[in-house]
Amino acid sequence: MSHLDEELQEPVDRREPTPEIYNEEGSVRTEFLEAVEAAIAGADTEFLRENIAGLHESEIGDVIEALPQEARPELVRLLGDEFDLTALTEVDEAVRLDIIAGLPAEQLASAISSLESDDAVYILEDMDDEDRDKILSKLSFIERIRLTRSLDYPESSAGRRMQTEFVAVPPFWTVGQTIDYMRKEDDLPNSFSQIFVVDPTFRLLGAVDLDKILRTKRKTKIEAIMRETNHPIPAETDQEEAAQLFEQYDLLSAAVVDSNERLVGVLTIDDVVDVIHEEAEEDIMRLGGVGDEELSDNIKTAVRSRFGWLLINLGTAFMSASVIGLFDESIEKMIALAVLMPVVASMGGNAGTQTMTVTVRALATKDLDIYNAARIIRREAGVGIFNGVAFAILIALVAGFWFQNPELGGVVATAMIINMFAAAMAGILIPLLLDRAGADPAISSSVFVTTTTDVIGFFSFLGIATWWFNI
Amino acid sequence: MSHLDEELQEPVDRREPTPEIYNEEGSVRTEFLEAVEAAIAGADTEFLRENIAGLHESEIGDVIEALPQEARPELVRLLGDEFDLTALTEVDEAVRLDIIAGLPAEQLASAISSLESDDAVYILEDMDDEDRDKILSKLSFIERIRLTRSLDYPESSAGRRMQTEFVAVPPFWTVGQTIDYMRKEDDLPNSFSQIFVVDPTFRLLGAVDLDKILRTKRKTKIEAIMRETNHPIPAETDQEEAAQLFEQYDLLSAAVVDSNERLVGVLTIDDVVDVIHEEAEEDIMRLGGVGDEELSDNIKTAVRSRFGWLLINLGTAFMSASVIGLFDESIEKMIALAVLMPVVASMGGNAGTQTMTVTVRALATKDLDIYNAARIIRREAGVGIFNGVAFAILIALVAGFWFQNPELGGVVATAMIINMFAAAMAGILIPLLLDRAGADPAISSSVFVTTTTDVIGFFSFLGIATWWFNI
């Protein structure tokens, strides 16, 4: 004991998260990666077991993603039973499917049965039906039922993300009984922060936080200290909605219930953190016109995710071009129009994107609704008019001096005010209408907004010029 | 007891989070809001206490944000001591400062001393120095020291976000002693999932999860069951970095240590969830060119946050315009050039934005680094060439038929390939270089990328046309 004591008295100094594998920028160190690649090439199982198997699952995930594609399944094969399959929940879908395809069904089934249920479901849900059924058929009856129940819930639902391992006790137990039960029971979840109270049919009666149990005398009955279950989540609930409940009420875990209000699982904050991240990521990607792309996708997948968006943009660009075509005679007579027209359109496009970004985010976080929409629309109108006038003055000065034509300055200034106002209105009304119509404003707003500002920008500038200069 | 028993046996049915205040879309119900407004106007304190005071802090925050500006401080004043100041941590900064400015210093000081330290710091940190010192001077010495210590750490650091209330015990205590201590000690944090083990100088020795304590016999010593503290976080660490540790290692809470490795506080997952949300939000807003704007900002603040970006865009738009100006004679002779040139530029702008979005996100999540940059650059080059050729064919067909000029189709197709390739390279290299240079690629990439695609688009199209048609 004395040796152990001594060791424990040493202050634990682990400031850096396992400094040996990450460099200062937080990516996997080149030297480490090269050593791993060499070990894989030389089938040096011992090196891999010593240096990879003991890492945290997310660290193993980072190493896998940093490896060249062909080395990844090889690493998993070489590690065999010592490979923690949880690591596959930490990598991109394309990488995961690639590795799974390379593993024998037996190894996969035995690895999956050792996972917590939420991780197992995470890995199984992306596989195609045939492969999944093959794996499921190799599991024990209980395990298969447990996983199938989760998999039967819709994609991205709370039922898919929940853990089916939890602690549930009857209300008439005492704190002492409960503690004793937890001391001797082996099949408990790895870590948990609350226990649930259920009736004999598993209907949810309440919950008790662990710190409450610790602070209560052994003789007290559970029903005396249990609290209402905070926001039990129906298993069909979309994961994004569930995440919003966690965020709003600062939950650490929440009960998941079926349509009969029976406890079927527990959703924990660590899964929710991933959901929050994914959903924000999705919005950024959609606003940028890149669907559900991942960094590890190959050229073909990347082209596929971007082509559609560019095709739509080509269509709308020709629409704007045809507006210019209407005024080709005016441009021929006054070439300065061709020089200035992209400036008006581009300013409108940027102003519209600004308003749209604010609107799309406010819709996603539910900060914007019918009740305050009127106020925000008024604000955006004000911003549009103010910026319109300010930039109208600037553009009038530059254009007037450049082409030595003050009247042209006046024309482009008027078009600028019109387009900046149109940009503000398009930026807020288009996402609002798309949202009303049940479409995701993050996906489609951008193309509608910039088309609007292009068309109105070209039309107002060239139209006013044609009328004013009578050309 | 029998009545209580009966009540407790009823299944708890709280599917909807307090259905009375939110509508189906998750925003505050109009009827409820109107009732609250009427109560504020009529100084109906009783109604407000009954219907607002008991709500969750985040629900109160939502109500406050949904109220008209002038009603907000009035609500807080009417609720008096029954107003839970924590609700102010749930509203936009502008709203918070507005309400705080309307509260007497005494009420504010007494409310702040009842908050947990992290919430108190969150409210104090945005106030100006003078107001803050006035509040601090009204607190007890201990409270003042505790809060000042947090406030002395840099903005957005772990030290600012940490809670200074935590449970720490010596390693030689038994599990029984620890449980007894927690049972009789009143001054414990509201909820916690681990306790820390420290030496007499508060140097961190380890930690024990609550479920571990519950599962261990009373006689066992704490040092026998304690584990290494997962990733203690130096108090100066930026909150974003701390959040990444939480995400990577699925932490629920982490010790915060000072430069002498002494335990000074604990960072909990609920604060980190907010940080993750804020940081993703920030990236979206920056990519959209709208700085740190909030939905509740007034016109002036919104104009200020967007003006600078638009001004830069005006400058770069004139740069592109001057490229067009170089070729004014060509355009005069062949007006179709004016019609088609925005199509080339716009396609490049969109393709560049796609690549840039992927790059900026990959940099933010540390998935992109020197080691794999070469692979991603190759991939983007491939995507650029493929999309360039595909859209070149499309645009050549449309333009050729439109203007009955196959040669023009060939010219615009060539320009399209050049610009799509340039877009791919700009989209990845510009964020990478900005990141290298220590700038935030989310803020400034967009303007550089679209300027590049505009200039190259106009120059290649007009230049090739001038050379080919010899005009």
Side-chain angles (χ1 to χ4, degrees), chain A residues 153-166:
Chain A
Y153 288 113
E155 209 181 323
S156 301
S157 66
R160 282 282 180 96
R161 292 284 79 78
M162 73 186 180
Q163 208 173 309
T164 51
E165 300 91 356
F166 50 80

Side-chain angles (χ1 to χ4, degrees), chain B residues 38-57:
Chain B
I40 293 173
D44 185 351
T45 320
E46 203 179 326
F47 177 92
L48 297 175
R49 289 199 176 157
E50 255 169 44
N51 291 281
I52 304 273
L55 296 177
H56 186 271
E57 60 213 43

Side-chain angles (χ1 to χ4, degrees), chain A residues 287-429:
Chain A
L287 280 170
V290 260
D292 297 328
E293 198 177 308
E294 287 172 335
L295 197 67
S296 55
D297 288 344
N298 57 22
I299 293 188
K300 202 172 128 198
T301 319
V303 164
R304 208 185 303 147
S305 94
R306 301 186 201 172
F307 193 87
W309 177 259
L310 289 174
L311 190 62
I312 293 173
N313 184 64
L314 184 67
T316 63
F318 271 118
M319 232 168 85
S320 319
S322 67
V323 172
I324 303 175
L326 293 177
F327 299 98
D328 51 357
E329 288 174 26
S330 310
I331 296 174
E332 211 162 357
K333 285 180 195 139
M334 194 172 194
I335 206 67
L337 299 182
V339 177
L340 289 176
M341 66 185 191
V343 179
V344 178
S346 144
M347 289 299 286
N350 275 279
T353 301
Q354 290 181 329
T355 305
M356 181 195 76
T357 305
V358 174
T359 309
V360 167
R361 279 318 288 169
L363 284 169
T365 55
K366 307 205 168 167
D367 286 334
L368 181 63
D369 49 59
I370 292 299
Y371 197 73
N372 63 1
R375 185 167 64 82
I376 307 294
I377 292 174
R378 274 200 304 278
R379 183 188 75 164
E380 291 304 321
V383 173
I385 291 171
F386 182 92
N387 276 338
V389 172
F391 285 104
I393 296 172
L394 283 174
I395 200 174
L397 288 174
V398 178
F401 277 105
W402 186 354
F403 297 98
Q404 295 290 316
N405 185 344
E407 283 179 63
L408 182 62
V411 167
V412 73
T414 313
M416 182 71 108
I417 294 175
I418 293 173
N419 204 25
M420 293 292 268
F421 183 74
M425 291 300 97
I428 186 157
L429 293 178

Side-chain angles (χ1 to χ4, degrees), chain A residues 44-357:
Chain A
D44 184 353
T45 319
E46 202 179 328
F47 176 91
L48 296 175
R49 289 199 176 157
E50 254 170 44
N51 291 282
I52 304 272
L55 295 177
H56 186 270
E57 60 212 43
S58 68
E59 294 167 342
I60 302 178
D62 285 341
V63 172
I64 289 177
E65 290 202 324
L67 282 172
Q69 198 186 342
E70 59 283 2
R72 293 169 187 158
E74 202 50 34
L75 169 68
V76 177
R77 219 169 9 248
L78 285 169
L79 281 174
D81 286 348
E82 299 224 17
F83 177 71
D84 178 3
L85 210 64
T86 324
L88 292 190
T89 64
E90 307 275 347
V91 301
D92 283 353
E93 184 182 337
V95 177
R96 180 165 55 249
L97 290 176
D98 194 40
I99 292 176
I100 288 176
L103 286 181
E106 271 76 21
Q107 185 183 342
L108 203 51
S110 107
I112 278 185
S113 70
S114 71
L115 293 181
E116 301 215 319
S117 63
D118 53 342
D119 292 329
V121 168
Y122 194 88
I123 290 176
L124 287 168
E125 65 179 356
D126 291 333
M127 299 174 65
D128 58 43
D129 292 354
E130 201 185 325
D131 291 344
R132 182 168 55 215
D133 290 346
K134 207 155 100 191
I135 303 294
L136 284 173
S137 71
K138 293 187 196 301
L139 299 178
S140 75
F141 176 73
I142 296 284
E143 274 169 345
R144 188 161 61 241
I145 290 294
R146 227 178 40 173
L147 295 179
T148 319
R149 184 159 67 172
S150 276
L151 286 165
D152 281 346
Y153 288 113
E155 209 181 323
S156 301
S157 66
R160 282 282 180 96
R161 292 284 79 78
M162 73 186 180
Q163 208 173 309
T164 51
E165 300 91 356
F166 50 80
V167 181
V169 299
F172 50 81
W173 276 22
T174 63
V175 166
Q177 266 180 299
T178 307
I179 293 181
D180 293 343
Y181 162 74
M182 288 192 281
R183 277 192 190 136
K184 66 169 196 280
E185 178 68 40
D186 287 330
D187 195 22
L188 292 181
N190 282 345
S191 87
F192 51 98
S193 58
Q194 62 177 341
I195 65 172
F196 297 102
V197 188
V198 291
D199 76 6
T201 67
F202 257 75
R203 294 236 283 170
L204 193 58
L205 301 176
V208 189
D209 292 318
L210 286 194
D211 57 303
K212 185 83 177 182
I213 293 188
L214 276 170
R215 290 193 250 175
T216 308
K217 295 216 186 311
R218 282 181 64 89
K219 273 184 241 158
T220 313
K221 282 200 167 175
I222 289 289
E223 62 193 1
I225 58 167
M226 80 182 187
R227 55 169 171 74
E228 255 184 23
T229 327
N230 288 331
H231 316 287
I233 296 172
E236 294 82 12
T237 311
D238 186 76
Q239 59 178 5
E240 188 169 8
E241 226 172 284
Q244 272 165 354
L245 278 182
F246 269 74
E247 258 189 287
Q248 170 150 30
Y249 298 104
D250 291 341
L251 308 177
L252 288 179
S253 60
V256 179
V257 292
D258 69 9
S259 48
N260 297 315
E261 316 235 334
R262 268 185 271 269
L263 184 64
V264 291
V266 54
L267 200 61
T268 53
I269 181 82
D270 53 314
D271 299 315
V272 170
V273 166
D274 295 338
V275 170
I276 292 174
H277 209 117
E278 274 172 33
E279 298 287 346
E281 195 79 19
E282 211 177 83
D283 267 8
I284 295 181
M285 291 306 208
R286 287 175 175 178
L287 280 170
V290 260
D292 297 328
E293 198 177 308
E294 287 172 335
L295 197 67
S296 55
D297 288 344
N298 57 22
I299 293 188
K300 202 172 128 198
T301 319
V303 164
R304 208 185 303 147
S305 94
R306 301 186 201 172
F307 193 87
W309 177 259
L310 289 174
L311 190 62
I312 293 173
N313 184 64
L314 184 67
T316 63
F318 271 118
M319 232 168 85
S320 319
S322 67
V323 172
I324 303 175
L326 293 177
F327 299 98
D328 51 357
E329 288 174 26
S330 310
I331 296 174
E332 211 162 357
K333 285 180 195 139
M334 194 172 194
I335 206 67
L337 299 182
V339 177
L340 289 176
M341 66 185 191
V343 179
V344 178
S346 144
M347 289 299 286
N350 275 279
T353 301
Q354 290 181 329
T355 305
M356 181 195 76
T357 305

Side-chain angles (χ1 to χ4, degrees), chain A residues 12 14 22 27 58-59 183 205 216 223 228 247-249 277 289 297 306 354 369 379-380 436, chain B residues 12 14 22 25 27 58-59 183 205 216 228 247-249 277 289 297 306 354 369 379-380:
Chain A
V12 180
R14 285 197 53 192
Y22 292 111
S27 31
S58 68
E59 294 167 342
R183 277 192 190 136
L205 301 176
T216 308
E223 62 193 1
E228 255 184 23
E247 258 189 287
Q248 170 150 30
Y249 298 104
H277 209 117
D297 288 344
R306 301 186 201 172
Q354 290 181 329
D369 49 59
R379 183 188 75 164
E380 291 304 321
R436 270 293 83 186
Chain B
V12 180
R14 282 196 57 190
Y22 293 112
E25 286 162 350
S27 32
S58 67
E59 294 167 339
R183 279 194 189 136
L205 302 176
T216 308
E228 256 186 22
E247 257 189 288
Q248 169 149 31
Y249 297 105
H277 208 117
D297 288 345
R306 301 187 201 171
Q354 290 180 330
D369 48 58
R379 182 187 75 164
E380 290 303 321

Side-chain angles (χ1 to χ4, degrees), chain B residues 154-161 233-245 267 275 279 282:
Chain B
E155 209 180 324
S156 302
S157 67
R160 282 282 181 99
R161 292 283 79 78
I233 296 171
E236 292 81 12
T237 311
D238 185 77
Q239 59 177 8
E240 188 168 8
E241 226 172 284
Q244 272 165 354
L245 278 183
L267 200 61
V275 170
E279 300 287 347
E282 211 177 82

Side-chain angles (χ1 to χ4, degrees), chain A residues 32-45:
Chain A
F32 181 73
L33 215 47
E34 280 164 358
V36 172
E37 279 186 61
I40 294 173
D44 184 353
T45 319

